[in-house]
Amino acid sequence: MEKDKESQLNVRSATGQDVNEGMSTETELTNHPSTEGKIRDLRWWIQIVIYTILVLGGQSSGTLLGRLYFAKGGKSIWLSTVLQLIGFPMLIPFYYVLPSIKDQANDDYRANRPSAIKLAMVFLTLGLLIAAECVLYSIGLQNLPVSTYSLICASQLAFNAIFAFFLNAQKFTPYILNSLVLLTISSALLVFQNDSSNSKDESKQKYAIGFICTVGASAGFSLVLSLTQFTFQRVLKTRSFIAILDMIIYPSLIASLATIVGLFASGQWRTIGMEMEAFKLGKVSYIMTLIWIAISWMVFSIGATGLIVQISSLFSNVISTLGLPLIPVLAVMFFHEKMDGIKAVAMLLAIWGFVSYTYQHYLDAKKEKVGNHHYHMGSAPKASNNHA
């Protein structure tokens, strides 16, 4: 009898131990994904903040310095275009730094890169589109005041909505539509300020040329963003950092070569020395202006591509449009433009539109997190039942 009691106690204790082990295993299954998910979300948001700062900072400084170049004596459209593209060699050292960092996504991309012909076609197409877009932007910036230029650039959201719908299967929710409307109106309000001041000083011919070229550049920019997202989704099929580098460096190389050919074919390279001598701020300021234009637009390219990879081309465009009302404010300090209530309202609408779009993404992330939580909670009891 004593042996039977001892054996029953042993069985009960063993069973209790198994139950405890099962409960601990279940706890690990439910808690570990939650902790890992929080870390992943935090890391993702940090990346988004960094990319957003790069887009806003690079776009604002690049636009203002580009206008400074023309306002103080610069006249070369092709040189201005080359400067928007030539900064890509700054990223090449990362190719040698990244191999020392263990990243499964980078390793998978190296092992499963698409064929050289396919990549060459993608880079060539994007590079030529970028070159054409930058030429048009330079013409617009030369012929228009900063505020008017920013206003017309807001049309890129409308173009992006069309391209994203056909190329990226972009869905439009009420919050996204609200964001697009607000951001477009915020920039459109600036036309009233321009009609009462700067645009009257511009000849009708120059204004028409600048308007048409800036609208065309906005359409080209939106098409490049959508095609970039399409390439990541359908061709590269990865979000690795090396893939991002490839999508910046190689198209920029193609675009730089195309615009350098234009610089020499047009003969504008001969006037660079005279521009430097006649630059109103001096030779050193001329050189530093050119250098920082190149750096600013490369910073913008890194941020814009990162946002495309992490979210979508439409979100990247929304962030870019958010920065447009900021440019006239900065122009008050650097170009002494007037600041009135219309520009203040435009800024508030831009911030409202940005918050609207961000809130929609917050809802999507929350919905996805709830779905993952239910998945793990549903799978854990099955494991414990099988163990019992």
Side-chain angles (χ1 to χ4, degrees), residues 132-133 135-137 139-141 143-144 148 152 155 159 204-220:
E133 160 217 329
V135 170
L136 294 175
Y137 270 133
I139 297 174
L141 193 58
N143 292 280
L144 296 173
T148 305
I152 301 171
S155 63
F159 289 115
K204 293 183 179 180
Q205 183 178 3
K206 289 181 62 178
Y207 186 86
I209 293 173
F211 181 89
I212 294 172
C213 289
T214 306
V215 170
S218 299

PDB file of all heavy atoms in Angstrom, residues 132-133 135-137 139-141 143-144 148 152 155 159 204-220:
ATOM      1  N   ALA A 132      15.523  63.823 -66.015  1.00  0.00           N
ATOM      2  CA  ALA A 132      14.542  64.714 -66.634  1.00  0.00           C
ATOM      3  C   ALA A 132      13.781  65.516 -65.590  1.00  0.00           C
ATOM      4  O   ALA A 132      13.549  66.731 -65.743  1.00  0.00           O
ATOM      5  CB  ALA A 132      13.565  63.896 -67.478  1.00  0.00           C
ATOM      6  N   GLU A 133      13.401  64.854 -64.506  1.00  0.00           N
ATOM      7  CA  GLU A 133      12.671  65.529 -63.430  1.00  0.00           C
ATOM      8  C   GLU A 133      13.504  66.647 -62.801  1.00  0.00           C
ATOM      9  O   GLU A 133      12.997  67.749 -62.552  1.00  0.00           O
ATOM     10  CB  GLU A 133      12.292  64.484 -62.378  1.00  0.00           C
ATOM     11  CG  GLU A 133      11.977  65.033 -61.006  1.00  0.00           C
ATOM     12  CD  GLU A 133      12.489  64.112 -59.916  1.00  0.00           C
ATOM     13  OE1 GLU A 133      12.531  62.873 -60.121  1.00  0.00           O
ATOM     14  OE2 GLU A 133      12.836  64.640 -58.839  1.00  0.00           O
ATOM     15  N   VAL A 135      16.018  68.335 -64.173  1.00  0.00           N
ATOM     16  CA  VAL A 135      16.161  69.450 -65.119  1.00  0.00           C
ATOM     17  C   VAL A 135      14.944  70.360 -65.051  1.00  0.00           C
ATOM     18  O   VAL A 135      15.059  71.598 -65.000  1.00  0.00           O
ATOM     19  CB  VAL A 135      16.368  68.918 -66.554  1.00  0.00           C
ATOM     20  CG1 VAL A 135      16.279  70.064 -67.560  1.00  0.00           C
ATOM     21  CG2 VAL A 135      17.713  68.224 -66.679  1.00  0.00           C
ATOM     22  N   LEU A 136      13.760  69.760 -65.027  1.00  0.00           N
ATOM     23  CA  LEU A 136      12.529  70.553 -64.962  1.00  0.00           C
ATOM     24  C   LEU A 136      12.424  71.319 -63.646  1.00  0.00           C
ATOM     25  O   LEU A 136      11.995  72.479 -63.617  1.00  0.00           O
ATOM     26  CB  LEU A 136      11.313  69.639 -65.148  1.00  0.00           C
ATOM     27  CG  LEU A 136      11.172  68.979 -66.525  1.00  0.00           C
ATOM     28  CD1 LEU A 136       9.993  68.006 -66.532  1.00  0.00           C
ATOM     29  CD2 LEU A 136      10.999  70.030 -67.604  1.00  0.00           C
ATOM     30  N   TYR A 137      12.831  70.677 -62.553  1.00  0.00           N
ATOM     31  CA  TYR A 137      12.825  71.370 -61.266  1.00  0.00           C
ATOM     32  C   TYR A 137      13.759  72.575 -61.278  1.00  0.00           C
ATOM     33  O   TYR A 137      13.446  73.645 -60.733  1.00  0.00           O
ATOM     34  CB  TYR A 137      13.230  70.416 -60.143  1.00  0.00           C
ATOM     35  CG  TYR A 137      12.083  69.682 -59.495  1.00  0.00           C
ATOM     36  CD1 TYR A 137      12.141  68.307 -59.265  1.00  0.00           C
ATOM     37  CD2 TYR A 137      10.928  70.362 -59.085  1.00  0.00           C
ATOM     38  CE1 TYR A 137      11.101  67.625 -58.666  1.00  0.00           C
ATOM     39  CE2 TYR A 137       9.878  69.694 -58.497  1.00  0.00           C
ATOM     40  CZ  TYR A 137       9.973  68.319 -58.282  1.00  0.00           C
ATOM     41  OH  TYR A 137       8.925  67.657 -57.689  1.00  0.00           O
ATOM     42  N   ILE A 139      14.662  74.418 -63.851  1.00  0.00           N
ATOM     43  CA  ILE A 139      14.060  75.492 -64.654  1.00  0.00           C
ATOM     44  C   ILE A 139      12.976  76.201 -63.856  1.00  0.00           C
ATOM     45  O   ILE A 139      12.873  77.440 -63.860  1.00  0.00           O
ATOM     46  CB  ILE A 139      13.490  74.926 -65.966  1.00  0.00           C
ATOM     47  CG1 ILE A 139      14.613  74.335 -66.822  1.00  0.00           C
ATOM     48  CG2 ILE A 139      12.751  76.012 -66.742  1.00  0.00           C
ATOM     49  CD1 ILE A 139      14.123  73.626 -68.073  1.00  0.00           C
ATOM     50  N   GLY A 140      12.152  75.418 -63.142  1.00  0.00           N
ATOM     51  CA  GLY A 140      11.103  76.030 -62.328  1.00  0.00           C
ATOM     52  C   GLY A 140      11.664  76.899 -61.224  1.00  0.00           C
ATOM     53  O   GLY A 140      11.175  78.007 -60.975  1.00  0.00           O
ATOM     54  N   LEU A 141      12.717  76.412 -60.551  1.00  0.00           N
ATOM     55  CA  LEU A 141      13.304  77.166 -59.452  1.00  0.00           C
ATOM     56  C   LEU A 141      13.988  78.435 -59.941  1.00  0.00           C
ATOM     57  O   LEU A 141      14.037  79.443 -59.229  1.00  0.00           O
ATOM     58  CB  LEU A 141      14.304  76.280 -58.704  1.00  0.00           C
ATOM     59  CG  LEU A 141      14.803  76.783 -57.347  1.00  0.00           C
ATOM     60  CD1 LEU A 141      13.638  77.010 -56.398  1.00  0.00           C
ATOM     61  CD2 LEU A 141      15.794  75.799 -56.750  1.00  0.00           C
ATOM     62  N   ASN A 143      12.957  80.284 -62.504  1.00  0.00           N
ATOM     63  CA  ASN A 143      11.989  81.245 -63.034  1.00  0.00           C
ATOM     64  C   ASN A 143      10.879  81.628 -62.067  1.00  0.00           C
ATOM     65  O   ASN A 143      10.083  82.523 -62.378  1.00  0.00           O
ATOM     66  CB  ASN A 143      11.350  80.691 -64.312  1.00  0.00           C
ATOM     67  CG  ASN A 143      12.332  80.606 -65.456  1.00  0.00           C
ATOM     68  OD1 ASN A 143      12.629  81.599 -66.115  1.00  0.00           O
ATOM     69  ND2 ASN A 143      12.862  79.414 -65.708  1.00  0.00           N
ATOM     70  N   LEU A 144      10.799  80.991 -60.920  1.00  0.00           N
ATOM     71  CA  LEU A 144       9.718  81.264 -59.983  1.00  0.00           C
ATOM     72  C   LEU A 144      10.269  81.655 -58.613  1.00  0.00           C
ATOM     73  O   LEU A 144      11.335  81.181 -58.216  1.00  0.00           O
ATOM     74  CB  LEU A 144       8.814  80.028 -59.814  1.00  0.00           C
ATOM     75  CG  LEU A 144       8.052  79.543 -61.039  1.00  0.00           C
ATOM     76  CD1 LEU A 144       7.361  78.227 -60.719  1.00  0.00           C
ATOM     77  CD2 LEU A 144       7.036  80.577 -61.489  1.00  0.00           C
ATOM     78  N   THR A 148       5.924  80.449 -54.755  1.00  0.00           N
ATOM     79  CA  THR A 148       5.182  79.927 -55.903  1.00  0.00           C
ATOM     80  C   THR A 148       5.681  78.548 -56.290  1.00  0.00           C
ATOM     81  O   THR A 148       4.887  77.644 -56.599  1.00  0.00           O
ATOM     82  CB  THR A 148       5.313  80.876 -57.103  1.00  0.00           C
ATOM     83  OG1 THR A 148       4.892  82.180 -56.706  1.00  0.00           O
ATOM     84  CG2 THR A 148       4.459  80.409 -58.263  1.00  0.00           C
ATOM     85  N   ILE A 152       3.313  75.046 -56.426  1.00  0.00           N
ATOM     86  CA  ILE A 152       3.119  74.163 -57.576  1.00  0.00           C
ATOM     87  C   ILE A 152       3.616  72.752 -57.270  1.00  0.00           C
ATOM     88  O   ILE A 152       3.039  71.764 -57.738  1.00  0.00           O
ATOM     89  CB  ILE A 152       3.824  74.744 -58.813  1.00  0.00           C
ATOM     90  CG1 ILE A 152       3.271  76.132 -59.126  1.00  0.00           C
ATOM     91  CG2 ILE A 152       3.632  73.840 -60.028  1.00  0.00           C
ATOM     92  CD1 ILE A 152       4.038  76.875 -60.196  1.00  0.00           C
ATOM     93  N   SER A 155       1.338  69.802 -56.226  1.00  0.00           N
ATOM     94  CA  SER A 155       0.588  68.983 -57.182  1.00  0.00           C
ATOM     95  C   SER A 155       1.126  67.561 -57.265  1.00  0.00           C
ATOM     96  O   SER A 155       0.453  66.675 -57.790  1.00  0.00           O
ATOM     97  CB  SER A 155       0.621  69.630 -58.569  1.00  0.00           C
ATOM     98  OG  SER A 155       1.947  69.702 -59.065  1.00  0.00           O
ATOM     99  N   PHE A 159      -0.632  63.691 -58.416  1.00  0.00           N
ATOM    100  CA  PHE A 159      -0.018  62.748 -59.357  1.00  0.00           C
ATOM    101  C   PHE A 159       0.331  61.435 -58.665  1.00  0.00           C
ATOM    102  O   PHE A 159       0.134  60.347 -59.223  1.00  0.00           O
ATOM    103  CB  PHE A 159       1.243  63.360 -59.966  1.00  0.00           C
ATOM    104  CG  PHE A 159       0.978  64.482 -60.927  1.00  0.00           C
ATOM    105  CD1 PHE A 159       1.398  65.783 -60.647  1.00  0.00           C
ATOM    106  CD2 PHE A 159       0.307  64.255 -62.116  1.00  0.00           C
ATOM    107  CE1 PHE A 159       1.164  66.821 -61.523  1.00  0.00           C
ATOM    108  CE2 PHE A 159       0.061  65.288 -63.016  1.00  0.00           C
ATOM    109  CZ  PHE A 159       0.487  66.571 -62.715  1.00  0.00           C
ATOM    110  N   LYS A 204       5.565  87.328 -67.640  1.00  0.00           N
ATOM    111  CA  LYS A 204       4.580  86.278 -67.903  1.00  0.00           C
ATOM    112  C   LYS A 204       5.212  85.076 -68.590  1.00  0.00           C
ATOM    113  O   LYS A 204       4.841  83.929 -68.315  1.00  0.00           O
ATOM    114  CB  LYS A 204       3.462  86.849 -68.776  1.00  0.00           C
ATOM    115  CG  LYS A 204       2.607  87.902 -68.074  1.00  0.00           C
ATOM    116  CD  LYS A 204       1.477  88.373 -68.967  1.00  0.00           C
ATOM    117  CE  LYS A 204       0.600  89.403 -68.256  1.00  0.00           C
ATOM    118  NZ  LYS A 204      -0.516  89.877 -69.134  1.00  0.00           N
ATOM    119  N   GLN A 205       6.154  85.324 -69.455  1.00  0.00           N
ATOM    120  CA  GLN A 205       6.790  84.225 -70.161  1.00  0.00           C
ATOM    121  C   GLN A 205       7.596  83.354 -69.203  1.00  0.00           C
ATOM    122  O   GLN A 205       7.497  82.126 -69.236  1.00  0.00           O
ATOM    123  CB  GLN A 205       7.697  84.759 -71.268  1.00  0.00           C
ATOM    124  CG  GLN A 205       8.346  83.661 -72.106  1.00  0.00           C
ATOM    125  CD  GLN A 205       9.205  84.236 -73.225  1.00  0.00           C
ATOM    126  OE1 GLN A 205       9.366  85.453 -73.343  1.00  0.00           O
ATOM    127  NE2 GLN A 205       9.751  83.357 -74.041  1.00  0.00           N
ATOM    128  N   LYS A 206       8.393  83.979 -68.358  1.00  0.00           N
ATOM    129  CA  LYS A 206       9.178  83.228 -67.387  1.00  0.00           C
ATOM    130  C   LYS A 206       8.273  82.476 -66.420  1.00  0.00           C
ATOM    131  O   LYS A 206       8.543  81.332 -66.063  1.00  0.00           O
ATOM    132  CB  LYS A 206      10.109  84.162 -66.617  1.00  0.00           C
ATOM    133  CG  LYS A 206      11.263  84.717 -67.438  1.00  0.00           C
ATOM    134  CD  LYS A 206      12.149  85.614 -66.607  1.00  0.00           C
ATOM    135  CE  LYS A 206      12.783  84.857 -65.470  1.00  0.00           C
ATOM    136  NZ  LYS A 206      13.699  85.705 -64.676  1.00  0.00           N
ATOM    137  N   TYR A 207       7.199  83.125 -66.017  1.00  0.00           N
ATOM    138  CA  TYR A 207       6.283  82.481 -65.088  1.00  0.00           C
ATOM    139  C   TYR A 207       5.630  81.258 -65.721  1.00  0.00           C
ATOM    140  O   TYR A 207       5.510  80.204 -65.080  1.00  0.00           O
ATOM    141  CB  TYR A 207       5.201  83.470 -64.647  1.00  0.00           C
ATOM    142  CG  TYR A 207       4.283  82.925 -63.566  1.00  0.00           C
ATOM    143  CD1 TYR A 207       4.620  83.029 -62.223  1.00  0.00           C
ATOM    144  CD2 TYR A 207       3.081  82.309 -63.909  1.00  0.00           C
ATOM    145  CE1 TYR A 207       3.789  82.525 -61.243  1.00  0.00           C
ATOM    146  CE2 TYR A 207       2.244  81.803 -62.939  1.00  0.00           C
ATOM    147  CZ  TYR A 207       2.594  81.913 -61.600  1.00  0.00           C
ATOM    148  OH  TYR A 207       1.772  81.412 -60.633  1.00  0.00           O
ATOM    149  N   ALA A 208       5.215  81.388 -66.995  1.00  0.00           N
ATOM    150  CA  ALA A 208       4.579  80.262 -67.690  1.00  0.00           C
ATOM    151  C   ALA A 208       5.545  79.093 -67.841  1.00  0.00           C
ATOM    152  O   ALA A 208       5.184  77.933 -67.614  1.00  0.00           O
ATOM    153  CB  ALA A 208       4.067  80.709 -69.056  1.00  0.00           C
ATOM    154  N   ILE A 209       6.790  79.404 -68.220  1.00  0.00           N
ATOM    155  CA  ILE A 209       7.800  78.348 -68.367  1.00  0.00           C
ATOM    156  C   ILE A 209       8.057  77.666 -67.030  1.00  0.00           C
ATOM    157  O   ILE A 209       8.096  76.434 -66.929  1.00  0.00           O
ATOM    158  CB  ILE A 209       9.110  78.933 -68.939  1.00  0.00           C
ATOM    159  CG1 ILE A 209       8.890  79.411 -70.375  1.00  0.00           C
ATOM    160  CG2 ILE A 209      10.230  77.891 -68.881  1.00  0.00           C
ATOM    161  CD1 ILE A 209      10.086  80.141 -70.952  1.00  0.00           C
ATOM    162  N   GLY A 210       8.226  78.480 -65.982  1.00  0.00           N
ATOM    163  CA  GLY A 210       8.469  77.917 -64.660  1.00  0.00           C
ATOM    164  C   GLY A 210       7.311  77.079 -64.173  1.00  0.00           C
ATOM    165  O   GLY A 210       7.508  76.004 -63.586  1.00  0.00           O
ATOM    166  N   PHE A 211       6.083  77.547 -64.427  1.00  0.00           N
ATOM    167  CA  PHE A 211       4.890  76.814 -63.988  1.00  0.00           C
ATOM    168  C   PHE A 211       4.804  75.453 -64.669  1.00  0.00           C
ATOM    169  O   PHE A 211       4.632  74.420 -64.020  1.00  0.00           O
ATOM    170  CB  PHE A 211       3.649  77.644 -64.294  1.00  0.00           C
ATOM    171  CG  PHE A 211       2.359  76.990 -63.870  1.00  0.00           C
ATOM    172  CD1 PHE A 211       1.863  77.191 -62.596  1.00  0.00           C
ATOM    173  CD2 PHE A 211       1.652  76.180 -64.744  1.00  0.00           C
ATOM    174  CE1 PHE A 211       0.675  76.588 -62.201  1.00  0.00           C
ATOM    175  CE2 PHE A 211       0.480  75.573 -64.360  1.00  0.00           C
ATOM    176  CZ  PHE A 211      -0.016  75.787 -63.079  1.00  0.00           C
ATOM    177  N   ILE A 212       4.939  75.449 -65.995  1.00  0.00           N
ATOM    178  CA  ILE A 212       4.804  74.199 -66.754  1.00  0.00           C
ATOM    179  C   ILE A 212       5.894  73.207 -66.365  1.00  0.00           C
ATOM    180  O   ILE A 212       5.638  72.010 -66.160  1.00  0.00           O
ATOM    181  CB  ILE A 212       4.852  74.490 -68.272  1.00  0.00           C
ATOM    182  CG1 ILE A 212       3.618  75.308 -68.686  1.00  0.00           C
ATOM    183  CG2 ILE A 212       4.924  73.193 -69.070  1.00  0.00           C
ATOM    184  CD1 ILE A 212       3.669  75.801 -70.126  1.00  0.00           C
ATOM    185  N   CYS A 213       7.124  73.696 -66.241  1.00  0.00           N
ATOM    186  CA  CYS A 213       8.235  72.801 -65.906  1.00  0.00           C
ATOM    187  C   CYS A 213       8.100  72.238 -64.494  1.00  0.00           C
ATOM    188  O   CYS A 213       8.406  71.062 -64.257  1.00  0.00           O
ATOM    189  CB  CYS A 213       9.560  73.546 -66.040  1.00  0.00           C
ATOM    190  SG  CYS A 213      10.034  73.901 -67.739  1.00  0.00           S
ATOM    191  N   THR A 214       7.625  73.042 -63.550  1.00  0.00           N
ATOM    192  CA  THR A 214       7.477  72.553 -62.174  1.00  0.00           C
ATOM    193  C   THR A 214       6.359  71.531 -62.067  1.00  0.00           C
ATOM    194  O   THR A 214       6.478  70.544 -61.330  1.00  0.00           O
ATOM    195  CB  THR A 214       7.216  73.732 -61.219  1.00  0.00           C
ATOM    196  OG1 THR A 214       8.244  74.713 -61.373  1.00  0.00           O
ATOM    197  CG2 THR A 214       7.214  73.261 -59.776  1.00  0.00           C
ATOM    198  N   VAL A 215       5.260  71.747 -62.794  1.00  0.00           N
ATOM    199  CA  VAL A 215       4.189  70.752 -62.814  1.00  0.00           C
ATOM    200  C   VAL A 215       4.693  69.439 -63.416  1.00  0.00           C
ATOM    201  O   VAL A 215       4.432  68.349 -62.891  1.00  0.00           O
ATOM    202  CB  VAL A 215       2.976  71.278 -63.609  1.00  0.00           C
ATOM    203  CG1 VAL A 215       1.958  70.162 -63.841  1.00  0.00           C
ATOM    204  CG2 VAL A 215       2.315  72.428 -62.860  1.00  0.00           C
ATOM    205  N   GLY A 216       5.439  69.546 -64.536  1.00  0.00           N
ATOM    206  CA  GLY A 216       6.010  68.344 -65.139  1.00  0.00           C
ATOM    207  C   GLY A 216       6.985  67.645 -64.215  1.00  0.00           C
ATOM    208  O   GLY A 216       7.015  66.405 -64.141  1.00  0.00           O
ATOM    209  N   ALA A 217       7.788  68.423 -63.490  1.00  0.00           N
ATOM    210  CA  ALA A 217       8.736  67.831 -62.549  1.00  0.00           C
ATOM    211  C   ALA A 217       8.008  67.134 -61.400  1.00  0.00           C
ATOM    212  O   ALA A 217       8.424  66.060 -60.947  1.00  0.00           O
ATOM    213  CB  ALA A 217       9.660  68.912 -61.996  1.00  0.00           C
ATOM    214  N   SER A 218       6.919  67.721 -60.935  1.00  0.00           N
ATOM    215  CA  SER A 218       6.137  67.109 -59.861  1.00  0.00           C
ATOM    216  C   SER A 218       5.546  65.774 -60.305  1.00  0.00           C
ATOM    217  O   SER A 218       5.538  64.795 -59.540  1.00  0.00           O
ATOM    218  CB  SER A 218       5.024  68.059 -59.415  1.00  0.00           C
ATOM    219  OG  SER A 218       5.551  69.261 -58.915  1.00  0.00           O
ATOM    220  N   ALA A 219       5.066  65.731 -61.552  1.00  0.00           N
ATOM    221  CA  ALA A 219       4.551  64.471 -62.081  1.00  0.00           C
ATOM    222  C   ALA A 219       5.660  63.438 -62.200  1.00  0.00           C
ATOM    223  O   ALA A 219       5.475  62.262 -61.841  1.00  0.00           O
ATOM    224  CB  ALA A 219       3.901  64.709 -63.448  1.00  0.00           C
ATOM    225  N   GLY A 220       6.831  63.868 -62.678  1.00  0.00           N
ATOM    226  CA  GLY A 220       7.959  62.948 -62.790  1.00  0.00           C
ATOM    227  C   GLY A 220       8.433  62.449 -61.445  1.00  0.00           C
ATOM    228  O   GLY A 220       8.752  61.256 -61.287  1.00  0.00           O
TER     229      GLY A 220
END
